[in-house]
Amino acid sequence: MEEGKEEVKSFNDLGVCEQLVEACDNLGWKHPSKIQAEAIPHALEGKDLIGLAQTGSGKTGAFALPILQALLETPQAFFACVLSPTRELAIQIAEQFEALGSGIGVKCAVLVGGVDHMQQSIALGKRPHIVVATPGRLSDHLSNTKGFSLRTLKYLVLDEADRLLNDDFEKAIDEILEVIPRERKTYLFSATMTKKVRKLQRACLRNPVKIEAASKYSTVDTLKQQYLFVPDKYKDCYLVYILTEMSGSTSMVFTRTCDSTRLLALMLRNLGLRAIPISGHMTQAKRFGALNQFKAGECNILVCTDVASRGLDIPSVDMVINYNVPSNSKDYIHRVGRTARAGRTGVAISVVNQYELEWYIQIEKLIGKKLPKFPAHEEEVLLLLERVSEAKRISQMKIKEPGGKRNRKGGDDDGEEEIGRYLNGKSSKKSKKH
């Protein structure tokens, strides 16, 4: 082995204090990941950071450990704020802070949409050390929750900054930056360095250290990537064929729209497969429910939109299927990053129809390789056609049933009874009254 390769053996070597090293140990973190090894020493020296790292690289630990160490030295309420583009990611970040800080009594508050405002105000009244939030809801609390401010904030983290900078969040982020102290430490983490990320870097970081823990757009070596070119009318058959061929796998199936997550999940369930949907149209409670069912292994197929393509740490995913090829090839990197995480192996299969070929070619250009075909025999696949068509027809009828239309407030009732019963831990045949 080359000299210098073994320089960092443990979190201890990075300057992390004993209590936090123990917390890492309890979480099963034996050795720092690349982004942690490079970011933590600079952060402990008090530098601002820009971290570019692919998904699943251990970014949360890279900013949580230095913040917790600084909090230990000077304990105070509202010490750090982490901004996240999605509710699920915000909750997960808070869980990681709590797990790392469990031995030192760290309190977190999560401020996200879809959850009762008053409950969150009560949590803020308890003066937590760490606030993890989506930008819109944080801005709302800063304006409307009496007695709450971030005037004493010491650390600001922008996680998945490339996604925080879309138009939905821009106004809220500007409002937040207006009311927090300029004298603070800022960490910006992003999978990609876009023009907007550069602009934000100039706006709120001072002499940052830039850490790049991965090549610009790459997929990990332990990921086996394949594709299937299929006629659009047989796409459902090919999906069912792949899921049946790989029946022991835990799989995430990515679709383009919220409506198709529900339809596909119902269709797969009608075929006896344990599928559950997650999308932005679902209520927060149902999204958590679906995620927990999947994490617990009670269903092994999660049908989702890009709401689940980043930041969700679901360690046991064996396979990612792109039922719809993403039109933005960078989204492909994030989707397939759900599997083959932390050194494990995984499979990613893209089911490409005639309308998506151009997008698929862009993906191959981006990752710099031609992918092999997934071995599928059309005559075997088409044996499924009748059953799959019937299952889809039944699912469409269920979604169109009276009382099964999506309500105007963004709720989702279509096909809800079936999925709702499943989320309550029972299949439709065994449902219990609460």
Side-chain angles (χ1 to χ4, degrees), residues 54-124:
Q54 63 199 44
T55 186
S57 59
K59 283 183 294 182
T60 309
F63 60 75
L65 287 166
I67 288 171
L68 290 172
Q69 190 146 319
L71 178 65
L72 264 173
E73 287 163 18
T74 51
Q76 67 158 70
F78 304 116
F79 188 74
C81 174
V82 184
L83 293 179
S84 146
T86 67
R87 302 165 182 187
E88 286 79 10
L89 180 55
I91 285 147
Q92 193 171 289
I93 291 166
E95 283 171 355
Q96 206 142 75
F97 264 104
E98 280 166 354
L100 286 167
S102 59
I104 56 174
V106 168
K107 287 190 296 186
C108 290
V110 179
L111 310 180
V112 294
V115 176
D116 181 59
H117 209 283
M118 184 51 71
Q119 264 182 313
Q120 293 176 353
S121 299
I122 292 164
L124 290 172

Side-chain angles (χ1 to χ4, degrees), residues 248-287:
S249 301
T250 304
S251 307
M252 291 179 79
V253 177
F254 281 97
T255 72
R256 188 164 297 117
T257 67
C258 295
D259 289 339
S260 61
T261 60
R262 281 187 294 278
L263 179 60
L264 272 187
L266 281 170
M267 179 192 84
L268 293 171
R269 287 172 56 65
N270 287 335
L271 290 163
L273 294 163
R274 290 179 300 132
I276 201 150
I278 185 170
S279 77
H281 280 168
M282 289 166 72
T283 61
Q284 191 63 51
K286 285 198 171 76
R287 279 158 77 170

